[in-house]
Amino acid sequence: MKAAGPILTRASFPFRFRTMARAGVRMMFHDWLKMAGTMLGVVFAVVLSNQQLGTFMGLVYKNIMFVNNTTAELWIVPPGAETVQGGKVVPYSDILAARTTPGVAAAEPLVFATATVALPAGGSEPVNLVGASYPGYLGGPWNLVAGQAKVLNRPDTMIFEDSERETLGGLNLGSVREVNGRKITVGGFTWGLIPFGPSYAFADYELARELTKLPRDRANFGLIKLEPGADPDVVKKAVAERLSGSGVFTQPEFRRSIVKNVLTKTPIGITFGTSTLFGLIVGFVIVSLSMFSAVVDNIREFGTLKAIGATNFDLGMLLFVQSVLYGVLGSIIGLFLVSRMAIGIRSAKLALNLPPQLTIGTVVVMVFMCVMASGLALLRLRKVEPTMVFR
């Protein structure tokens, strides 16, 4: 009988991958303390980076909240305006010209300025006064928790932010306060309308114009509602041709302009970007050290795998499977903790904004980070000699 010769062919890639994956999972769960230490690095990076990004996105939302929630599809803005701020004005004639443009259903002026509310005990508090026009009220209010928008049509009536009731001297429905020296009755409350600054307070356009002493032939902004089926870009171009120097944005364009302004002209982007990067770096270091330590502690096991025919590529697959598991499991735990944190600290003044895209991005980034960390550990395994297991 002819003796069997040596095996000259290697197993298929799927078989080798399954074998290495199984070995990697068993090695992970064999040492629970090492596994917990490595997982802690991923969880730390997820929690810190998502907390910072969620806060950053929450602040960005505060800045674009007004544009997002108005029902206007086009904005007429003062020349050079990049965000929703008071101070600059547009000619009222530009708003009248927009009303006669084909595709425009309505065009309303908007007052946007700072006002002061006198407190009963003395002193005053600022508010962002928004003057919207009846009956459309394209500029708000929204998120009403008491009263209706139509109360603004009553004489000297305004709607304030519910979470600022105590700050404004214990407001209730029917309370009377002096706003810019004029007695105003509280007709309703909104919730959560606190931008990156004083809360919004809504009034009828004419009342707001009188409170801010804005000339009749001027407005801070113009809001345009389109007819059903009208193309915003086409109508925007037609409106722009009729204006006397004012700018015109579609809602998405104005939103992007505000975000760009926040990122480039305020410290928000740098501050939270640095904190997020710091969290990722610290997490990467912890994961790298943990995985490297796990390799060193199990060096004889890896040597045994090499002695029975495993190549550096096979060991790379083993570490790859481990890193993916660390990334996915750590992300799940970290995102759960962040979601609980977001619920716990949610308030009208600050709420973490955690969109689904951030969740998906977190898992991808964490898996990539763990794979990179496993690559450093693989550098140590390449120097392992199979003969070490016989010493």
Side-chain angles (χ1 to χ4, degrees):
M1 183 177 180
K2 187 177 180 180
I7 300 175
L8 300 179
T9 60
R10 296 186 62 83
S12 64
F13 175 79
F15 178 81
R16 290 158 58 198
F17 183 83
R18 286 197 305 271
T19 302
M20 290 297 103
R22 190 178 298 113
V25 172
R26 289 179 177 177
M27 290 177 68
M28 273 182 61
F29 287 91
H30 175 72
D31 192 336
W32 285 92
L33 290 178
K34 287 289 181 184
M35 177 180 170
T38 305
M39 198 79 72
L40 180 63
V42 181
V43 172
F44 174 83
V46 170
V47 171
L48 182 57
S49 60
N50 274 265
Q51 188 270 334
Q52 292 296 316
L53 281 173
T55 303
F56 166 70
M57 296 180 75
L59 291 175
V60 170
Y61 176 75
K62 291 288 186 182
N63 284 272
I64 63 174
M65 171 173 56
F66 193 86
V67 175
N68 270 3
N69 287 279
T70 59
T71 54
E73 290 139 305
L74 295 178
W75 281 70
I76 299 175
V77 303
E82 297 177 337
T83 184
V84 182
Q85 288 182 335
K88 297 181 179 181
V89 295
V90 298
Y92 198 93
S93 59
D94 283 352
I95 298 169
L96 295 178
R99 288 177 181 171
T100 61
T101 305
V104 172
E108 297 180 357
L110 181 78
V111 171
F112 194 95
T114 301
T116 56
V117 179
L119 305 180
S124 62
E125 286 289 334
V127 293
N128 277 312
L129 176 61
V130 178
S133 294
Y134 176 85
Y137 291 127
L138 297 182
W142 67 95
N143 277 10
L144 285 159
V145 293
Q148 297 177 334
K150 63 183 181 181
V151 302
L152 297 181
N153 202 33
R154 300 174 185 171
D156 298 335
T157 300
M158 289 178 56
I159 293 175
F160 294 87
E161 167 61 28
D162 184 77
S163 62
E164 294 288 278
R165 289 168 63 177
E166 293 304 318
T167 302
L168 297 176
L171 293 184
N172 288 298
L173 290 176
S175 296
V176 177
R177 293 289 183 274
E178 281 193 4
V179 178
N180 283 8
R182 182 165 172 171
K183 289 186 177 181
I184 298 296
T185 301
V186 178
F189 293 103
T190 59
W191 190 89
L193 306 194
I194 304 179
F196 201 56
S199 61
Y200 291 130
F202 296 87
D204 182 75
Y205 173 77
E206 285 298 327
L207 173 59
R209 188 188 61 75
E210 293 171 7
L211 291 174
T212 58
K213 296 179 172 56
L214 186 67
R216 288 186 179 276
D217 62 345
R218 294 289 185 267
N220 294 115
F221 295 94
L223 303 182
I224 299 175
K225 181 73 174 175
L226 302 184
E227 294 177 350
D231 188 323
D233 292 315
V234 173
V235 179
K236 171 194 168 183
K237 184 177 179 180
V239 169
E241 293 174 350
R242 297 175 177 229
L243 302 184
S244 58
S246 302
V248 58
F249 286 111
T250 64
Q251 187 184 55
E253 287 173 344
F254 200 22
R255 184 165 51 238
R256 287 194 296 269
S257 173
I258 295 172
V259 172
K260 180 180 177 181
N261 182 273
V262 170
L263 293 178
T264 60
K265 297 184 179 180
T266 70
I268 295 176
I270 296 176
T271 301
F272 286 94
T274 302
S275 301
T276 301
L277 182 62
F278 173 76
L280 292 175
I281 291 175
V282 172
F284 177 76
V285 171
I286 295 175
V287 173
S288 298
L289 291 176
S290 299
M291 296 195 72
F292 192 83
S293 175
V295 168
V296 172
D297 291 345
N298 295 287
I299 198 70
R300 294 188 65 84
E301 286 78 1
F302 286 109
T304 301
L305 290 173
K306 276 196 168 184
I308 61 176
T311 64
N312 286 326
F313 181 74
D314 293 327
L315 298 182
M317 289 191 291
L318 184 151
L319 292 178
F320 174 78
V321 171
Q322 287 186 342
S323 61
V324 170
L325 284 175
Y326 279 129
V328 173
L329 294 177
S331 295
I332 292 174
I333 296 173
L335 288 170
F336 173 78
L337 294 176
V338 171
S339 65
R340 297 300 95 187
M341 183 188 305
I343 294 174
I345 67 175
R346 179 177 175 81
S347 69
K349 295 185 177 180
L350 178 64
L352 297 187
N353 191 355
L354 302 172
Q357 297 89 333
L358 181 59
T359 301
I360 298 172
T362 295
V363 177
V364 173
V365 170
M366 290 303 117
V367 169
F368 177 76
M369 185 181 76
C370 292
V371 170
M372 293 293 292
S374 69
L376 298 177
L378 184 61
L379 295 178
R380 176 67 179 87
L381 289 182
R382 294 183 63 181
K383 300 178 181 179
V384 174
E385 294 294 335
T387 54
M388 68 173 294
V389 298
F390 302 110
R391 295 172 188 168

